[in-house]
Amino acid sequence: MTGGTEPVRPAELGPDLPAVQLAPRLAQFAAVARLEHVTQAAELLAMPQPTLSRAVARLEADLGVDLLARQGRTVRLTRAGRLLLASVERALAEVERGAEAARAEADPATGRVAFGFLHTMGTDAVPALLRDFRSSYPQVRFQLVQDYVGAMLDRLRAGELDLCLVAPLPDDDPALAARRLDEQRLHLVVPADHRLAGRRRIRLAEVAEEPFVGLEHGYGMRAITDGFCAEAGFVPRLAFEGEETETLRGLVAAGLGVALLPPALVPRPGVVELEVTAPRTRRAIGLAWVAGRPMTPPVAAFRDFVLSRRGRLLAHD
């Protein structure tokens, strides 16, 4: 025997299966069972007493057992009725909890927003957004997800995320809506003792023969790096691939390659960041959501707030 809670097995659904046939009458049965009086239960449920009596009788017929023993104007549960009532009460309590959770999710003041964003946005841009939004909506809750672009967009389509801050923008997917918010320059990061470290500006083609360190395939920055290198007339030779831009800076500092990266917020020892003059190495950052999917009030409020920050998302850049 193992500890822990056993997972709930979903009931089978179909026109002739018990869960579908019985569900509409279970709350009615519970009211009669609690009060042990059909008329009082009918008053509680605001329905005609004959209608309630027929519903309970139909429930008994569907199950093939007597659930209630009639004693004049009152009723008593049979053994089968007590067994069913115990499960019905648990099921109704779960439905009530689920309904409360669904309502809380959409509450304009205290609802939840599932928000995905790039790792490179998590240091300053996203915290600043959340701080400023919470000044007007102090009780809205956030589920924050950091991941690479492809994974976030998959979760967005699946309904696991409400909004995503991404780069590049998914302009080629008609299922998604996206709005451009800002533009971020990308620097060529080289070791401090690199032959080009004394320069301020560089053309990307000047490092065509250098080993690169970059993010893995699937990350937006990897696709952007490959695209800019193609514009410069070469395919980057990747010596190392990683999942974090700060890790890549560490690899550059160790002399293992060069990298095209967003500006560091805090100077990193051992590296120099050069402005790239050709091509114009900037990436568009925007907000994405599923086109046509209804938004809860807190999600819509946060989306509108983020869109209002167009051109001011990257105050440091």
Side-chain angles (χ1 to χ4, degrees):
M1 174 180 275
T2 58
T5 303
E6 290 295 323
V8 177
R9 182 173 64 86
E12 295 185 20
L13 301 179
D16 301 322
L17 293 174
V20 175
Q21 290 189 329
L22 303 181
R25 295 186 290 276
L26 294 181
Q28 297 164 346
F29 163 71
V32 175
R34 289 178 189 176
L35 297 173
E36 297 184 332
H37 200 287
V38 177
T39 301
Q40 292 176 7
E43 292 174 354
L44 175 66
L45 297 174
M47 63 187 301
Q49 182 268 326
T51 302
L52 179 58
S53 295
R54 287 193 298 271
V56 175
R58 175 69 184 278
L59 179 61
E60 292 177 310
D62 288 342
L63 291 174
V65 296
D66 291 328
L67 301 173
L68 303 171
R70 279 78 176 173
Q71 299 176 352
R73 299 172 65 88
T74 63
V75 295
R76 294 286 185 271
L77 283 169
T78 64
R79 182 172 181 276
R82 286 194 298 274
L83 290 172
L84 178 62
L85 181 62
S87 294
V88 168
E89 294 287 20
R90 287 195 297 271
L92 293 176
E94 282 300 313
V95 170
E96 186 172 9
R97 278 192 286 271
E100 285 298 321
R103 282 193 288 266
E105 186 88 348
D107 187 285
T110 62
R112 185 186 70 121
V113 179
F115 181 43
F117 53 94
L118 302 166
H119 288 279
T120 53
M121 297 286 102
T123 305
D124 66 330
V126 168
L129 279 176
L130 298 178
R131 178 198 62 211
D132 295 346
F133 179 75
R134 290 289 294 272
S135 67
S136 298
Y137 298 87
Q139 296 185 60
V140 168
R141 296 168 292 121
F142 281 85
Q143 176 194 351
L144 302 177
V145 173
Q146 291 176 270
D147 213 331
Y148 64 93
V149 171
M152 283 197 299
L153 294 180
D154 286 344
R155 296 179 69 172
L156 187 65
R157 296 183 190 96
E160 297 175 23
L161 293 176
D162 299 311
L163 302 164
C164 287
L165 198 61
V166 295
L169 276 64
D171 295 327
D172 58 346
D173 189 341
L176 300 178
R179 297 291 182 274
R180 185 186 182 108
L181 292 173
D182 217 331
E183 202 176 64
Q184 184 178 48
R185 70 168 60 92
L186 303 176
H187 292 156
L188 185 75
V189 184
V190 302
D193 59 357
H194 192 272
R195 61 184 176 84
L196 299 172
R199 301 261 299 272
R200 293 182 57 191
R201 298 178 179 84
I202 189 175
R203 291 178 295 107
L204 196 56
E206 294 181 64
V207 291
E209 302 302 320
E210 299 273 349
F212 271 71
V213 298
L215 297 177
E216 297 175 352
H217 282 290
Y219 285 78
M221 268 301 303
R222 175 60 180 271
I224 291 170
T225 295
D226 290 348
F228 283 134
C229 289
E231 279 190 60
F234 69 97
V235 175
R237 179 166 54 90
L238 268 291
F240 293 90
E241 295 179 326
E243 298 179 349
E244 277 281 349
T245 56
E246 289 311 304
T247 299
L248 298 185
R249 277 194 174 85
L251 295 174
V252 172
L256 299 176
V258 301
L260 201 59
L261 297 173
L265 296 178
V266 178
R268 174 69 183 256
V271 302
V272 174
E273 300 193 3
L274 308 177
E275 180 183 346
V276 180
T277 58
R280 186 173 179 268
T281 53
R282 289 180 173 266
R283 66 170 177 171
I285 297 172
L287 190 69
W289 61 92
V290 175
R293 178 181 293 166
M295 290 185 178
T296 63
V299 171
F302 185 61
R303 180 197 61 179
D304 293 345
F305 171 78
V306 175
L307 294 180
S308 75
R309 301 294 290 264
R310 182 179 180 184
R312 296 180 292 124
L313 183 67
L314 305 172
H316 67 278
D317 190 16

